[in-house]
Coordinates of all heavy atoms in Angstrom, one line a residue:
M16 N 6.4 -14.3 13.7 CA 6.6 -12.9 13.7 C 7.3 -12.4 14.9 O 7.1 -12.9 16.0 CB 5.2 -12.2 13.6 CG 4.5 -12.3 12.3 SD 3.0 -11.2 12.2 CE 3.0 -10.8 10.5
T17 N 8.1 -11.4 14.7 CA 8.9 -10.8 15.9 C 8.5 -9.3 16.0 O 8.8 -8.5 15.1 CB 10.4 -10.9 15.6 OG1 10.7 -12.3 15.4 CG2 11.1 -10.3 16.8
W18 N 7.7 -9.1 17.0 CA 7.2 -7.7 17.1 C 8.2 -6.9 18.0 O 8.6 -7.4 19.1 CB 5.8 -7.7 17.8 CG 4.8 -8.3 16.9 CD1 4.3 -9.6 17.0 CD2 4.1 -7.7 15.8 NE1 3.4 -9.8 16.0 CE2 3.3 -8.7 15.2 CE3 4.2 -6.5 15.1 CZ2 2.5 -8.4 14.1 CZ3 3.4 -6.2 14.0 CH2 2.6 -7.2 13.5
T19 N 8.5 -5.7 17.6 CA 9.4 -4.8 18.3 C 8.7 -3.5 18.5 O 8.2 -2.9 17.5 CB 10.7 -4.6 17.5 OG1 11.3 -5.9 17.2 CG2 11.7 -3.7 18.3
K20 N 8.7 -3.0 19.7 CA 8.1 -1.6 20.0 C 9.1 -0.6 19.4 O 10.3 -0.6 19.6 CB 8.0 -1.4 21.5 CG 7.5 0.0 21.8 CD 7.5 0.2 23.3 CE 7.2 1.7 23.7 NZ 7.2 2.0 25.1
I21 N 8.5 0.3 18.6 CA 9.3 1.3 18.0 C 8.9 2.7 18.4 O 9.7 3.7 18.2 CB 9.2 1.3 16.4 CG1 7.8 1.3 15.9 CG2 9.9 0.0 15.9 CD1 7.7 1.5 14.4
A22 N 7.7 2.9 19.0 CA 7.3 4.2 19.4 C 6.1 4.1 20.3 O 5.5 3.0 20.4 CB 7.0 5.1 18.2
T23 N 5.6 5.2 20.8 CA 4.3 5.3 21.4 C 3.4 6.2 20.5 O 3.9 7.0 19.8 CB 4.4 5.8 22.9 OG1 5.0 7.1 22.8 CG2 5.1 4.8 23.8
A24 N 2.1 5.9 20.6 CA 1.2 6.6 19.7 C 1.2 8.1 19.8 O 1.0 8.8 18.8 CB -0.2 6.1 20.0
D25 N 1.6 8.6 21.0 CA 1.6 10.1 21.1 C 2.8 10.7 20.5 O 2.9 11.9 20.5 CB 1.5 10.5 22.6 CG 2.6 9.9 23.5 OD1 3.5 9.2 22.9 OD2 2.7 10.2 24.7
Q26 N 3.7 9.9 19.9 CA 4.9 10.5 19.3 C 4.7 10.9 17.9 O 5.5 11.6 17.3 CB 6.1 9.5 19.3 CG 6.7 9.2 20.7 CD 7.8 8.2 20.6 OE1 7.6 7.0 20.9 NE2 9.0 8.7 20.2
V27 N 3.6 10.5 17.3 CA 3.4 10.8 15.9 C 1.9 11.2 15.7 O 1.0 10.4 15.8 CB 3.8 9.7 14.9 CG1 3.2 8.4 15.3 CG2 3.6 10.0 13.5
G28 N 1.7 12.5 15.4 CA 0.3 13.0 15.3 C -0.3 12.7 13.9 O 0.4 12.1 13.0
E29 N -1.6 13.0 13.8 CA -2.3 12.8 12.5 C -1.6 13.4 11.4 O -1.2 14.6 11.4 CB -3.7 13.3 12.7 CG -4.6 13.1 11.4 CD -5.0 11.6 11.1 OE1 -4.9 10.8 12.1 OE2 -5.3 11.3 10.0
D30 N -1.4 12.7 10.3 CA -0.7 13.1 9.1 C 0.7 13.6 9.4 O 1.2 14.6 8.8 CB -1.5 14.2 8.3 CG -2.7 13.5 7.6 OD1 -2.6 12.3 7.3 OD2 -3.7 14.2 7.4
E31 N 1.4 12.9 10.3 CA 2.8 13.2 10.6 C 3.6 11.9 10.5 O 3.0 10.8 10.4 CB 2.9 13.8 12.0 CG 2.3 15.2 12.2 CD 2.5 15.7 13.6 OE1 3.1 15.0 14.4 OE2 2.1 16.9 13.8
A32 N 4.9 12.1 10.5 CA 5.8 10.9 10.4 C 7.0 11.1 11.3 O 7.4 12.3 11.5 CB 6.2 10.7 9.0
I33 N 7.6 10.0 11.7 CA 8.9 10.1 12.4 C 9.8 9.1 11.8 O 9.4 8.0 11.3 CB 8.8 9.9 13.9 CG1 8.2 8.6 14.3 CG2 8.0 11.1 14.5 CD1 8.3 8.3 15.8
A34 N 11.1 9.3 11.9 CA 12.1 8.3 11.5 C 12.4 7.4 12.6 O 12.5 7.8 13.8 CB 13.4 9.1 11.0
V35 N 12.6 6.1 12.3 CA 12.9 5.1 13.3 C 14.1 4.3 12.8 O 14.0 3.8 11.6 CB 11.7 4.2 13.6 CG1 12.1 3.1 14.5 CG2 10.5 5.0 14.1
V36 N 15.1 4.1 13.6 CA 16.2 3.2 13.2 C 16.0 1.9 14.0 O 15.9 1.9 15.2 CB 17.5 3.8 13.5 CG1 18.7 2.8 13.2 CG2 17.7 5.0 12.6
L37 N 15.9 0.8 13.3 CA 15.8 -0.5 14.0 C 16.9 -1.5 13.4 O 16.8 -2.0 12.3 CB 14.4 -1.1 13.6 CG 14.0 -2.3 14.4 CD1 13.9 -2.1 15.9 CD2 12.6 -2.8 13.8
G38 N 17.9 -1.6 14.2 CA 19.0 -2.4 13.7 C 19.6 -1.7 12.5 O 20.0 -0.5 12.6
D39 N 19.7 -2.4 11.4 CA 20.3 -1.9 10.2 C 19.2 -1.2 9.3 O 19.5 -0.6 8.3 CB 20.9 -3.0 9.3 CG 22.1 -3.6 9.9 OD1 22.7 -2.9 10.8 OD2 22.4 -4.7 9.6
L40 N 18.0 -1.2 9.8 CA 16.8 -0.7 9.0 C 16.6 0.8 9.3 O 16.5 1.2 10.5 CB 15.6 -1.5 9.2 CG 15.6 -3.0 8.8 CD1 14.3 -3.6 9.3 CD2 15.7 -3.1 7.3
K41 N 16.4 1.6 8.2 CA 15.9 2.9 8.4 C 14.4 2.9 8.0 O 14.1 2.7 6.9 CB 16.6 3.9 7.4 CG 18.1 4.1 7.7 CD 18.6 5.2 6.8 CE 20.0 5.6 7.1 NZ 21.1 4.8 6.5
L42 N 13.6 3.1 9.0 CA 12.2 3.0 8.8 C 11.5 4.4 9.0 O 12.1 5.3 9.7 CB 11.6 2.0 9.8 CG 12.1 0.6 9.8 CD1 11.5 -0.2 11.0 CD2 11.9 -0.1 8.5
A43 N 10.3 4.5 8.5 CA 9.5 5.7 8.7 C 8.1 5.2 9.3 O 7.6 4.2 8.8 CB 9.2 6.4 7.5
L44 N 7.7 5.8 10.4 CA 6.4 5.5 11.0 C 5.5 6.7 10.7 O 5.8 7.9 11.0 CB 6.6 5.4 12.5 CG 5.3 5.4 13.4 CD1 4.4 4.2 13.0 CD2 5.6 5.4 14.8
F45 N 4.3 6.4 10.1 CA 3.4 7.4 9.7 C 2.1 7.2 10.5 O 1.7 6.0 10.8 CB 3.0 7.2 8.2 CG 4.2 7.4 7.3 CD1 5.0 6.3 6.9 CD2 4.5 8.7 6.8 CE1 6.1 6.5 6.1 CE2 5.6 8.8 5.9 CZ 6.4 7.8 5.6
N46 N 1.3 8.2 10.7 CA 0.0 8.2 11.2 C -0.9 8.9 10.2 O -0.8 10.1 10.1 CB -0.1 8.9 12.6 CG -1.4 9.0 13.2 OD1 -2.4 8.4 12.6 ND2 -1.5 9.6 14.3
S47 N -1.7 8.1 9.5 CA -2.5 8.8 8.4 C -3.7 7.9 8.1 O -3.6 6.6 8.2 CB -1.7 9.0 7.2 OG -2.5 9.8 6.2
A48 N -4.8 8.5 7.7 CA -6.0 7.7 7.2 C -6.5 6.8 8.3 O -6.9 5.7 8.1 CB -5.7 7.0 5.9
G49 N -6.3 7.2 9.6 CA -6.9 6.5 10.7 C -6.1 5.3 11.2 O -6.5 4.5 12.0
G50 N -4.8 5.3 10.8 CA -4.0 4.2 11.3 C -2.5 4.5 11.2 O -2.1 5.5 10.6
F51 N -1.7 3.6 11.8 CA -0.2 3.7 11.7 C 0.3 2.8 10.6 O -0.2 1.7 10.3 CB 0.4 3.3 13.1 CG 0.0 4.3 14.2 CD1 -1.0 4.0 15.0 CD2 0.7 5.5 14.3 CE1 -1.4 4.9 16.0 CE2 0.4 6.4 15.3 CZ -0.7 6.1 16.2
H52 N 1.4 3.3 10.0 CA 2.0 2.6 8.9 C 3.5 2.7 9.0 O 4.0 3.7 9.4 CB 1.6 3.2 7.5 CG 0.2 3.4 7.3 ND1 -0.7 2.5 6.8 CD2 -0.6 4.5 7.7 CE1 -1.9 3.0 6.8 NE2 -1.9 4.2 7.3
V53 N 4.2 1.6 8.7 CA 5.7 1.6 8.8 C 6.2 1.2 7.4 O 5.7 0.2 6.8 CB 6.2 0.7 9.8 CG1 7.8 0.6 9.8 CG2 5.8 1.2 11.2
T54 N 7.1 2.0 6.9 CA 7.7 1.7 5.6 C 9.2 1.9 5.7 O 9.7 2.5 6.7 CB 7.2 2.7 4.5 OG1 7.8 4.0 4.7 CG2 5.7 2.8 4.5
D55 N 10.0 1.4 4.6 CA 11.3 1.9 4.5 C 11.3 3.4 4.4 O 10.5 4.0 3.8 CB 12.0 1.3 3.3 CG 12.5 -0.1 3.5 OD1 12.7 -0.5 4.6 OD2 12.6 -0.8 2.5
N56 N 12.3 4.0 5.1 CA 12.3 5.5 5.1 C 13.0 6.1 3.8 O 12.7 7.2 3.5 CB 13.1 6.0 6.3 CG 12.7 7.5 6.7 OD1 11.9 8.0 6.0 ND2 13.4 8.0 7.6
V57 N 13.8 5.4 3.1 CA 14.5 5.9 2.0 C 13.7 5.7 0.7 O 13.2 4.6 0.4 CB 15.9 5.3 1.8 CG1 16.6 5.8 0.6 CG2 16.7 5.6 3.1
C58 N 13.5 6.8 0.0 CA 12.7 6.7 -1.3 C 13.4 5.8 -2.2 O 14.6 5.6 -2.3 CB 12.7 8.1 -1.9 SG 11.6 8.2 -3.3
T59 N 12.5 5.1 -3.1 CA 13.1 4.2 -4.1 C 13.6 4.9 -5.3 O 14.2 4.3 -6.2 CB 12.0 3.2 -4.5 OG1 10.9 3.9 -4.9 CG2 11.7 2.2 -3.3
H60 N 13.3 6.2 -5.4 CA 13.8 6.9 -6.6 C 15.2 7.4 -6.5 O 16.1 7.0 -7.2 CB 12.9 8.1 -6.9 CG 13.3 9.0 -8.0 ND1 13.5 10.3 -8.0 CD2 13.6 8.6 -9.3 CE1 13.9 10.8 -9.1 NE2 13.9 9.8 -10.0
Q61 N 15.5 8.3 -5.5 CA 16.8 8.6 -5.2 C 16.9 8.7 -3.7 O 16.0 8.2 -3.0 CB 17.2 9.9 -5.9 CG 17.4 9.8 -7.4 CD 17.8 11.1 -8.0 OE1 18.1 12.1 -7.4 NE2 17.7 11.1 -9.4
Y62 N 17.9 9.4 -3.1 CA 18.1 9.4 -1.7 C 17.3 10.5 -1.1 O 17.8 11.7 -1.2 CB 19.5 9.4 -1.2 CG 19.6 9.1 0.3 CD1 19.7 7.8 0.7 CD2 19.6 10.1 1.2 CE1 19.8 7.5 2.1 CE2 19.6 9.9 2.5 CZ 19.7 8.6 3.0 OH 19.7 8.3 4.3
A63 N 16.2 10.2 -0.5 CA 15.5 11.2 0.3 C 14.8 10.4 1.4 O 14.4 9.3 1.2 CB 14.5 12.0 -0.5
L64 N 14.5 11.1 2.5 CA 13.8 10.4 3.6 C 12.3 10.8 3.6 O 11.9 11.9 3.7 CB 14.4 10.9 5.0 CG 15.9 10.5 5.2 CD1 16.4 11.0 6.5 CD2 16.1 9.0 5.1
L65 N 11.5 9.7 3.5 CA 10.1 9.9 3.4 C 9.5 10.4 4.7 O 8.4 11.0 4.6 CB 9.5 8.6 3.0 CG 9.9 8.1 1.6 CD1 9.3 6.7 1.3 CD2 9.5 9.1 0.5
S66 N 10.2 10.2 5.8 CA 9.7 10.7 7.1 C 9.7 12.3 7.1 O 9.1 12.9 7.9 CB 10.5 10.2 8.2 OG 11.9 10.6 8.1
E67 N 10.4 12.9 6.1 CA 10.4 14.3 5.9 C 9.4 14.8 4.9 O 9.4 16.0 4.5 CB 11.8 14.8 5.6 CG 12.8 14.5 6.8 CD 14.2 14.8 6.4 OE1 14.5 15.2 5.3 OE2 15.1 14.5 7.3
G68 N 8.6 13.9 4.3 CA 7.7 14.2 3.3 C 6.4 14.7 3.8 O 6.1 14.8 5.0
Y69 N 5.5 15.0 2.8 CA 4.1 15.5 3.1 C 3.2 14.3 3.2 O 3.1 13.5 2.2 CB 3.7 16.5 2.0 CG 2.3 17.1 2.2 CD1 2.1 18.0 3.2 CD2 1.3 16.7 1.3 CE1 0.8 18.5 3.4 CE2 0.0 17.2 1.5 CZ -0.2 18.1 2.5 OH -1.5 18.6 2.7
V70 N 2.5 14.2 4.3 CA 1.6 13.1 4.5 C 0.1 13.5 4.5 O -0.2 14.5 5.1 CB 1.9 12.5 5.9 CG1 1.1 11.2 6.2 CG2 3.4 12.1 6.1
E71 N -0.7 12.8 3.7 CA -2.1 13.1 3.6 C -2.8 11.9 3.0 O -2.3 11.3 2.0 CB -2.3 14.3 2.7 CG -3.7 14.8 2.6 CD -3.8 16.1 1.8 OE1 -3.5 16.0 0.6 OE2 -4.2 17.1 2.3
D72 N -4.0 11.6 3.5 CA -4.9 10.6 3.0 C -4.2 9.3 2.8 O -4.4 8.6 1.7 CB -5.5 11.1 1.6 CG -6.4 12.3 1.8 OD1 -6.9 12.5 2.9 OD2 -6.6 13.0 0.8
G73 N -3.4 8.8 3.7 CA -2.8 7.5 3.6 C -1.7 7.4 2.6 O -1.3 6.3 2.2
C74 N -1.2 8.6 2.1 CA 0.0 8.6 1.2 C 1.1 9.6 1.7 O 0.8 10.4 2.5 CB -0.5 9.1 -0.2 SG -1.7 8.1 -1.0
V75 N 2.3 9.3 1.2 CA 3.4 10.3 1.5 C 3.9 10.8 0.2 O 4.1 10.0 -0.8 CB 4.5 9.6 2.4 CG1 5.1 8.4 1.7 CG2 5.5 10.7 2.8
E76 N 4.2 12.1 0.2 CA 4.8 12.7 -1.0 C 6.3 12.9 -0.6 O 6.6 13.6 0.3 CB 4.1 14.0 -1.3 CG 4.7 14.7 -2.5 CD 3.9 16.0 -2.8 OE1 2.8 15.9 -3.4 OE2 4.4 17.1 -2.4
C77 N 7.2 12.4 -1.5 CA 8.6 12.5 -1.2 C 9.1 14.0 -1.2 O 8.6 14.7 -2.1 CB 9.4 11.7 -2.3 SG 11.2 11.8 -2.1
P78 N 9.9 14.4 -0.3 CA 10.3 15.8 -0.2 C 11.2 16.2 -1.3 O 11.4 17.4 -1.5 CB 11.0 15.9 1.2 CG 11.5 14.5 1.4 CD 10.5 13.6 0.8
L79 N 11.8 15.3 -2.0 CA 12.8 15.7 -3.0 C 12.2 15.9 -4.4 O 12.5 17.0 -5.0 CB 13.9 14.6 -3.1 CG 15.2 15.0 -3.9 CD1 15.8 16.3 -3.3 CD2 16.2 13.9 -3.8
H80 N 11.4 15.0 -5.0 CA 10.9 15.2 -6.3 C 9.4 14.9 -6.3 O 8.8 14.8 -7.4 CB 11.5 14.2 -7.3 CG 13.0 14.2 -7.4 ND1 13.8 13.2 -6.9 CD2 13.8 15.2 -7.8 CE1 15.1 13.6 -7.1 NE2 15.1 14.8 -7.6
Q81 N 8.8 14.8 -5.2 CA 7.3 14.8 -5.0 C 6.7 13.5 -5.6 O 5.5 13.4 -6.0 CB 6.6 16.0 -5.7 CG 6.8 17.3 -4.9 CD 8.2 17.8 -5.0 OE1 8.8 18.0 -6.1 NE2 8.9 18.0 -3.8
G82 N 7.5 12.4 -5.7 CA 6.9 11.1 -6.0 C 6.0 10.8 -4.8 O 6.2 11.2 -3.6
R83 N 4.9 10.0 -5.1 CA 3.9 9.7 -4.0 C 3.9 8.2 -3.8 O 3.9 7.4 -4.8 CB 2.5 10.2 -4.3 CG 2.4 11.7 -4.1 CD 1.1 12.2 -4.5 NE -0.1 11.7 -3.9 CZ -0.6 12.2 -2.7 NH1 0.0 13.2 -2.2 NH2 -1.6 11.6 -2.2
F84 N 3.7 7.7 -2.6 CA 3.5 6.3 -2.2 C 2.3 6.1 -1.4 O 2.0 6.9 -0.5 CB 4.8 5.8 -1.5 CG 6.1 5.9 -2.3 CD1 6.9 7.1 -2.1 CD2 6.5 4.9 -3.1 CE1 8.0 7.2 -2.9 CE2 7.7 5.0 -3.8 CZ 8.4 6.1 -3.7
D85 N 1.6 5.0 -1.6 CA 0.5 4.5 -0.8 C 1.1 3.9 0.5 O 1.9 3.0 0.4 CB -0.3 3.5 -1.6 CG -1.5 3.1 -0.8 OD1 -1.4 2.6 0.4 OD2 -2.6 3.2 -1.3
L86 N 0.7 4.4 1.6 CA 1.4 3.9 2.9 C 0.9 2.5 3.3 O 1.5 1.8 4.1 CB 1.1 4.9 4.0 CG 1.8 6.2 3.8 CD1 1.3 7.2 4.9 CD2 3.3 6.1 3.9
S87 N -0.3 2.1 2.8 CA -0.8 0.7 3.1 C -0.1 -0.4 2.2 O 0.2 -1.4 2.7 CB -2.3 0.7 2.9 OG -2.9 1.5 3.8
T88 N 0.1 -0.1 1.0 CA 0.6 -1.1 0.0 C 2.1 -0.8 -0.4 O 2.7 -1.7 -0.9 CB -0.2 -1.1 -1.3 OG1 0.0 0.1 -2.0 CG2 -1.7 -1.3 -0.9
G89 N 2.5 0.4 -0.2 CA 3.9 0.8 -0.7 C 3.9 1.1 -2.1 O 5.0 1.5 -2.6
A90 N 2.8 1.0 -2.8 CA 2.8 1.3 -4.3 C 3.2 2.7 -4.6 O 2.8 3.6 -3.9 CB 1.4 1.0 -4.8
A91 N 4.0 2.8 -5.7 CA 4.3 4.1 -6.2 C 3.1 4.7 -7.0 O 2.6 4.0 -7.8 CB 5.5 4.0 -7.1
M92 N 2.7 5.9 -6.6 CA 1.4 6.4 -7.2 C 1.7 7.4 -8.3 O 0.8 7.7 -9.1 CB 0.7 7.2 -6.1 CG 0.5 6.4 -4.8 SD -0.6 5.0 -5.0 CE -2.2 5.9 -5.2
C93 N 2.9 8.0 -8.4 CA 3.1 8.9 -9.5 C 4.6 9.1 -9.7 O 5.4 8.9 -8.8 CB 2.4 10.3 -9.3 SG 3.2 11.3 -8.0
A94 N 4.9 9.5 -11.0 CA 6.3 9.8 -11.3 C 6.9 10.9 -10.5 O 6.1 11.8 -10.1 CB 6.4 10.2 -12.8
P95 N 8.2 10.9 -10.3 CA 9.2 10.0 -10.9 C 9.3 8.7 -10.1 O 10.2 7.9 -10.5 CB 10.5 10.8 -10.8 CG 10.3 11.6 -9.6 CD 8.9 12.0 -9.5
A96 N 8.6 8.5 -9.0 CA 8.7 7.2 -8.3 C 8.0 6.1 -9.1 O 6.8 6.3 -9.5 CB 8.0 7.3 -6.9
T97 N 8.7 5.0 -9.3 CA 8.1 3.9 -10.1 C 8.2 2.6 -9.3 O 7.4 1.7 -9.6 CB 8.8 3.7 -11.4 OG1 10.2 3.5 -11.2 CG2 8.6 4.9 -12.3
Q98 N 9.1 2.5 -8.4 CA 9.3 1.2 -7.6 C 8.6 1.4 -6.3 O 8.7 2.5 -5.6 CB 10.8 1.0 -7.4 CG 11.6 0.7 -8.7 CD 11.0 -0.5 -9.5 OE1 10.8 -1.5 -8.9 NE2 10.8 -0.3 -10.7
P99 N 7.9 0.4 -5.8 CA 7.2 0.5 -4.5 C 8.2 0.6 -3.3 O 9.4 0.1 -3.5 CB 6.4 -0.8 -4.4 CG 7.2 -1.8 -5.3 CD 7.7 -0.9 -6.4
I100 N 7.8 1.1 -2.3 CA 8.6 1.1 -1.0 C 8.1 -0.2 -0.2 O 6.9 -0.6 -0.4 CB 8.4 2.3 -0.1 CG1 6.9 2.7 0.1 CG2 9.2 3.5 -0.7 CD1 6.7 3.8 1.1
R101 N 9.0 -0.7 0.6 CA 8.6 -1.9 1.4 C 7.7 -1.4 2.6 O 8.1 -0.4 3.2 CB 9.9 -2.6 1.9 CG 9.5 -3.8 2.7 CD 10.8 -4.6 3.0 NE 10.4 -5.8 3.7 CZ 11.3 -6.6 4.3 NH1 12.6 -6.4 4.1 NH2 10.9 -7.7 5.0
V102 N 6.7 -2.1 2.9 CA 5.9 -1.8 4.0 C 6.0 -3.0 5.0 O 6.2 -4.1 4.6 CB 4.4 -1.6 3.6 CG1 4.3 -0.3 2.8 CG2 3.8 -2.8 2.9
Y103 N 5.7 -2.7 6.3 CA 5.9 -3.7 7.3 C 4.6 -3.8 8.1 O 3.9 -2.8 8.4 CB 7.1 -3.3 8.3 CG 8.4 -3.2 7.5 CD1 8.8 -2.0 6.9 CD2 9.3 -4.2 7.5 CE1 10.0 -1.9 6.2 CE2 10.5 -4.1 6.9 CZ 10.9 -3.0 6.2 OH 12.1 -2.9 5.6
P104 N 4.4 -5.0 8.7 CA 3.2 -5.2 9.6 C 3.3 -4.3 10.8 O 4.4 -4.3 11.4 CB 3.2 -6.7 9.9 CG 4.0 -7.3 8.8 CD 5.0 -6.3 8.4
V105 N 2.2 -3.7 11.2 CA 2.2 -2.8 12.4 C 1.0 -3.2 13.3 O 0.0 -3.6 12.8 CB 2.0 -1.3 12.0 CG1 2.0 -0.4 13.2 CG2 3.1 -0.9 11.0
K106 N 1.2 -3.2 14.6 CA 0.1 -3.3 15.5 C 0.3 -2.4 16.7 O 1.4 -1.9 17.0 CB -0.1 -4.8 15.9 CG 1.0 -5.3 16.9 CD 0.6 -6.7 17.3 CE 1.7 -7.3 18.2 NZ 1.3 -8.7 18.7
V107 N -0.9 -2.1 17.3 CA -0.9 -1.2 18.4 C -1.4 -2.0 19.6 O -2.4 -2.7 19.6 CB -1.8 0.0 18.2 CG1 -1.8 1.0 19.4 CG2 -1.4 0.8 16.9
E108 N -0.6 -1.9 20.7 CA -1.0 -2.5 22.0 C -1.0 -1.4 23.0 O 0.1 -0.9 23.4 CB 0.0 -3.6 22.4 CG -0.1 -4.9 21.5 CD 0.8 -6.0 21.9 OE1 1.7 -5.8 22.8 OE2 0.6 -7.1 21.4
G109 N -2.2 -1.1 23.5 CA -2.2 0.1 24.4 C -1.8 1.3 23.7 O -2.3 1.7 22.6
S110 N -0.7 2.0 24.2 CA -0.2 3.1 23.5 C 1.1 2.8 22.8 O 1.7 3.7 22.2 CB 0.1 4.2 24.6 OG 1.0 3.8 25.5
D111 N 1.5 1.5 22.8 CA 2.7 1.1 22.1 C 2.5 0.8 20.6 O 1.5 0.1 20.3 CB 3.4 -0.1 22.8 CG 3.8 0.3 24.2 OD1 4.0 1.5 24.5 OD2 4.0 -0.7 25.0
I112 N 3.4 1.2 19.8 CA 3.3 0.8 18.4 C 4.5 -0.2 18.1 O 5.6 0.1 18.4 CB 3.5 2.0 17.5 CG1 2.4 3.0 17.7 CG2 3.5 1.6 16.0 CD1 2.6 4.4 17.1
L113 N 4.1 -1.4 17.6 CA 5.0 -2.4 17.3 C 5.1 -2.7 15.8 O 4.1 -2.6 15.1 CB 4.6 -3.7 18.1 CG 4.6 -3.6 19.6 CD1 3.2 -3.2 20.1 CD2 5.0 -4.8 20.3
V114 N 6.3 -3.1 15.4 CA 6.5 -3.5 14.0 C 7.1 -4.9 13.9 O 7.9 -5.2 14.8 CB 7.3 -2.4 13.3 CG1 8.7 -2.4 13.8 CG2 7.3 -2.7 11.8
D115 N 6.8 -5.6 12.8 CA 7.4 -6.8 12.5 C 8.3 -6.5 11.3 O 7.9 -6.5 10.2 CB 6.4 -7.9 12.2 CG 7.1 -9.2 11.8 OD1 8.2 -9.4 12.2 OD2 6.4 -10.0 11.0
A116 N 9.6 -6.3 11.6 CA 10.6 -5.9 10.5 C 11.8 -6.8 10.6 O 12.1 -7.4 11.6 CB 11.0 -4.5 10.7
Ligands
FES22 FE1 11.9 10.5 -3.9 FE2 13.0 11.4 -6.1 S1 14.0 11.0 -4.3 S2 10.9 11.1 -5.8

């Protein structure tokens, strides 16, 4: 595994998200349901950034058509989203948030 620091914990509040660019990857970092989650930032339905979506109870609602994704598994929870988003391993060391992407 290759862990890369992408943020510090104080950068993303409860039920909030930020966009993170890591090399060629567009990622979204979420803080919800008691933990941090990293996913691809671009919705699998059409082009929208999930870091701009509504975050609640470990899920994100896409800002464009309100498809919902589980932030732990990436599973699409409701139409029009049908394809999962990719999720990445995350760990916290002190105040640093690291991802294996
Ligand atoms: Fe995300 Fe349509 S672009 S649900």
